[in-house]
Amino acid sequence: MEKLRFVLVLLALCLSTSLVKGGDPFLFFEWKVTYGTISPLGVPQQVILVNGQFPGPIINGTSNNNIVVNVFNQLDEPFLFTWNGVQQRKNSWQEGTLGTNCPIPPGSNFTYQFQVKDQIGSFYYYPTTALHRAAGGYGGISVHSRALIPVPFDVNPADEFFVLVSDWYTKSHSQMRKLLDSGRALGRPNGVIINGKSGKGDNKDEPMFTMTPGKTYRYRFCNVGMKDSINVRIQGHVMKLVEIEGSHTVQNMYDSLDVHLGQCMSVLVTADKDPKDYFLVASTRFTKEPHTATATIRYANGKGAPASLELPKAPIGWAWSLNQFRSFRWNLTASAARPNPQGSYHYGQINFTRTIKLVNAAGSVDGKLRYAINGVSHVNPETPIKLAEYYGVANKVFKYDLIKDDYEAPTAKTEEKITLAPNVVNGTYRNFVEIIFENHEKSVQSFHLAGYSFFAVAIEPGKWTPEKRKNYNLLDAVSRNTIQVYPNSWAAIMTTIDNAGLWNLRSNSLERQYLGQQLYFSVLSPKRDLKDEYNMPDNDILCGIIKDMPLPKPYSV
């Protein structure tokens, strides 16, 4: 029966003309989400598997492909996936957060359908419900350029490897959730894993990657962790950076790269050293006692000669990391997902219509730990915000604009008052906005904006003032979807909010995100028009107060 239902859903999707442009290929996936027991850090624990795999299957597609994923939830809890970095143009219905979607009930299935419209690059998916990300359930998404779009590489990679790095806890996700629900913090992670494994650098692990001498390979790094920034390096090799979160970059060479929470980047590595084994090394940054993991890279025909036990060291301090950020530049001579030069978009010449300053903070409510943005700690309502808007009952579920654009944090002597509520900001469709992230805390923060890519124009120490704009990179800042903010520092991004829908801005820290450090931008088109936004899918799951309400009049052309 489930198979028949799946076939009917696929048929309906293929016949749909409102969602996709004719001629763009479809990729179909059927995923079963289950629990399993493995030992990422040598301790048996419950993890979330996708088709029996941890990490889950890689979605390997091409720009403009239509992706159809039928997810069977075989857990004992409701479940959702989000597609981190996929812009979901006009289609926040597929975003997979608790603000946009009702979760998939246990024993049920839901078919996601979305298009990687005019995108290339390295992204990933992961669970957004409960604390499921702490148990895995994640996997890579690679989107390649179409054949007619030239790739700005000197050589075509012989192969490519996804490298999903993560800090990891040996506690179960349910234990961790109980800790946070009781008002306590998670504490430090217990280690680091690379593609679900944690090598010790002792030459006892099977090789994870194999390279042929003289060939060049593409490594796609993503930090899918929960708390820590991670530095990656390859023993004896340099890395040529070629892409960050969907943008081709100026191709500088690096001995190591800081990959902050939620970030992805890809590099080219040439197998031009002695034919033997080498270690890929990943270690936490900005922690008192860093955790390290290794993965073995083997040269084909190298006879398995062991790697040197002397691992390359990670840099020290965040000033080094800030300087590395400043070295990242958009490649203005390369084409993007469309056959036109990226540099034809002169973002630095556009006037802002709005400046929003967002200040992260930790505090307590009724004696329990909470995290906030501009004094509001987000709480997910029973009825998803997007559904409440679509059904015209938003006023019964949440209030818009509880936070101020020009927020000033209280002085150190005054504890910040935190309000628990859905945190929804009204965004004017097609406005060009400047967003400032101000971090007054002692740890590095990382934020992701769904639905868009933005220009990461500056990160600097201290507090932001309008005079700081003279230090912005207004020419070739990388267009991306995640930005880090160093301790007692600020970061500035710029973007056009031209993607109608409901879009999550969230901390990439699992603990902070779960305890309220996120918000939603509601970007409503002035008219209910299919040119601006798609209708709610026929297969959408309904819950909360709209569950039994009549379907609203659909958008039309």
Side-chain angles (χ1 to χ4, degrees):
M1 189 66 186
E2 290 293 351
K3 287 284 186 183
L4 177 60
R5 186 180 295 117
F6 183 41
V7 170
L8 292 174
V9 168
L10 296 186
L11 180 61
L13 291 171
C14 291
L15 291 175
S16 171
T17 58
S18 63
L19 286 181
V20 297
K21 175 182 167 184
D24 292 325
F26 279 78
L27 301 179
F28 297 102
F29 302 89
E30 183 176 304
W31 289 356
K32 291 180 172 60
V33 179
T34 62
Y35 290 124
T37 301
I38 60 174
S39 306
L41 291 178
V43 178
Q45 62 185 118
Q46 186 186 69
V47 299
I48 291 176
L49 308 175
V50 182
N51 287 355
Q53 302 174 41
F54 173 65
I58 293 173
I59 293 178
N60 195 2
T62 300
S63 178
N64 285 8
N65 280 176
N66 297 288
I67 312 297
V68 181
V69 187
N70 190 19
V71 176
F72 290 84
N73 177 15
Q74 297 180 353
L75 307 183
D76 56 0
E77 295 181 291
F79 187 84
L80 281 173
F81 278 122
T82 195
W83 318 92
N84 204 71
V86 175
Q87 291 179 18
Q88 308 288 7
R89 301 299 299 180
K90 304 194 295 184
N91 200 17
S92 64
W93 303 107
Q94 307 296 323
E95 181 61 22
T97 66
L98 288 170
T100 57
N101 296 88
C102 299
I104 308 168
S108 299
N109 72 302
F110 176 74
T111 301
Y112 292 90
Q113 192 221 354
F114 54 89
Q115 187 177 28
V116 284
K117 179 68 175 172
D118 291 328
Q119 282 193 267
I120 55 99
S122 307
F123 315 105
Y124 66 98
Y125 60 87
Y126 70 87
T128 56
T129 37
L131 231 62
H132 290 137
R133 180 155 63 109
Y138 54 72
I141 305 172
S142 60
V143 185
H144 297 85
S145 295
R146 287 172 284 169
L148 60 92
I149 310 295
V151 178
F153 303 157
D154 295 334
V155 60
N156 289 326
D159 202 351
E160 62 177 50
F161 307 119
F162 238 109
V163 186
L164 300 173
V165 295
S166 171
D167 51 15
W168 192 259
Y169 292 85
T170 53
K171 296 184 183 74
S172 70
H173 73 279
S174 56
Q175 289 174 316
M176 293 166 67
R177 187 179 181 185
K178 286 178 182 177
L179 274 175
L180 294 182
D181 288 343
S182 70
R184 292 176 288 172
L186 292 180
R188 303 304 315 173
N190 300 104
V192 169
I193 57 176
I194 301 172
N195 288 349
K197 299 178 180 180
S198 181
K200 298 178 181 178
D202 56 6
N203 284 308
K204 294 182 180 179
D205 299 307
E206 290 295 317
M208 190 175 289
F209 311 107
T210 300
M211 300 196 299
T212 299
K215 300 285 188 180
T216 297
Y217 295 81
R218 184 173 185 169
Y219 287 79
R220 296 179 184 264
F221 294 108
C222 289
N223 183 343
V224 297
M226 292 164 267
K227 197 177 187 79
D228 294 318
S229 300
I230 291 179
N231 181 270
V232 294
R233 54 243 185 236
I234 297 177
Q235 193 178 49
H237 294 70
V238 293
M239 301 178 289
K240 179 186 287 187
L241 183 67
V242 295
E243 175 254 338
I244 295 177
E245 296 167 23
S247 289
H248 293 305
T249 61
V250 172
Q251 296 178 12
N252 295 326
M253 307 297 289
Y254 297 91
D255 292 322
S256 71
L257 287 163
D258 276 355
V259 188
H260 301 278
L261 281 175
Q263 296 183 353
C264 294
M265 54 187 66
S266 60
V267 302
L268 298 182
V269 177
T270 300
D272 56 1
K273 305 303 178 187
D274 291 339
K276 63 186 192 71
D277 288 357
Y278 295 89
F279 289 126
L280 186 157
V281 186
S283 57
T284 56
R285 290 277 273 131
F286 323 120
T287 55
K288 187 175 181 180
E289 297 179 0
H291 293 296
T292 299
T294 63
T296 301
I297 299 174
R298 176 158 294 174
Y299 273 50
N301 304 319
K303 299 181 180 179
S308 167
L309 297 181
E310 185 177 349
L311 300 181
K313 296 186 181 301
I316 298 174
W318 62 263
W320 182 94
S321 189
L322 174 56
N323 286 332
Q324 185 169 85
F325 164 81
R326 290 170 174 163
S327 74
F328 297 155
R329 290 290 187 266
W330 205 21
N331 187 343
L332 300 184
T333 65
S335 293
R338 296 180 180 179
N340 61 290
Q342 292 178 329
S344 64
Y345 183 40
H346 300 293
Y347 67 92
Q349 299 175 16
I350 304 174
N351 293 325
F352 308 126
T353 49
R354 184 178 183 183
T355 296
I356 306 170
K357 186 169 71 173
L358 302 176
V359 182
N360 56 272
S364 63
V365 176
D366 297 329
K368 293 184 177 183
L369 175 65
R370 294 294 300 188
Y371 294 100
I373 296 176
N374 290 11
V376 175
S377 184
H378 177 77
V379 176
N380 288 305
E382 182 182 354
T383 305
I385 296 162
K386 179 61 183 171
L387 288 172
E389 287 185 328
Y390 191 74
Y391 275 78
V393 293
N395 62 328
K396 297 180 180 180
V397 175
F398 64 92
K399 294 181 180 179
Y400 291 102
D401 298 324
L402 293 181
I403 64 174
K404 297 179 180 179
D405 286 2
D406 57 351
Y407 180 80
E408 287 296 330
T411 62
K413 296 180 181 179
T414 307
E415 184 175 349
E416 183 167 23
K417 183 178 183 298
I418 292 177
T419 300
L420 298 180
N423 197 354
V424 185
V425 176
N426 248 321
T428 304
Y429 186 49
R430 291 182 176 165
N431 269 11
F432 189 65
V433 300
E434 172 190 44
I435 301 176
I436 311 299
F437 297 93
E438 211 167 73
N439 177 20
H440 300 168
E441 299 184 67
K442 296 179 181 179
S443 58
V444 177
Q445 307 296 316
S446 176
F447 290 91
H448 168 79
L449 176 60
Y452 302 93
S453 59
F454 52 71
F455 298 100
V457 295
I459 302 177
E460 288 195 357
K463 294 185 68 174
W464 181 85
T465 61
E467 292 74 26
K468 301 290 186 180
R469 291 183 180 131
K470 67 179 183 293
N471 298 329
Y472 285 6
N473 175 0
L474 297 180
L475 176 64
D476 57 359
V478 177
S479 176
R480 56 190 307 178
N481 58 68
T482 301
I483 187 74
Q484 73 270 19
V485 197
Y486 298 101
N488 298 306
S489 300
W490 58 268
I493 66 172
M494 297 156 55
T495 192
T496 302
I497 50 174
D498 59 352
N499 191 12
L502 186 82
W503 306 107
N504 190 219
L505 185 149
R506 55 184 175 264
S507 168
N508 286 310
S509 161
L510 181 59
E511 178 179 298
R512 288 174 171 268
Q513 184 185 130
Y514 181 79
L515 292 180
Q517 200 160 287
Q518 58 175 305
L519 58 80
Y520 284 89
F521 279 104
S522 173
V523 183
L524 297 174
S525 169
K527 50 187 178 179
R528 296 170 69 94
D529 194 327
L530 283 175
K531 293 178 181 177
D532 296 334
E533 186 177 8
Y534 299 139
N535 282 306
M536 182 183 77
D538 292 340
N539 69 326
D540 214 22
I541 301 170
L542 303 181
C543 59
I545 64 173
I546 58 91
K547 185 174 183 180
D548 298 316
M549 292 178 63
L551 190 68
K553 181 181 178 181
Y555 298 159
S556 59
V557 178

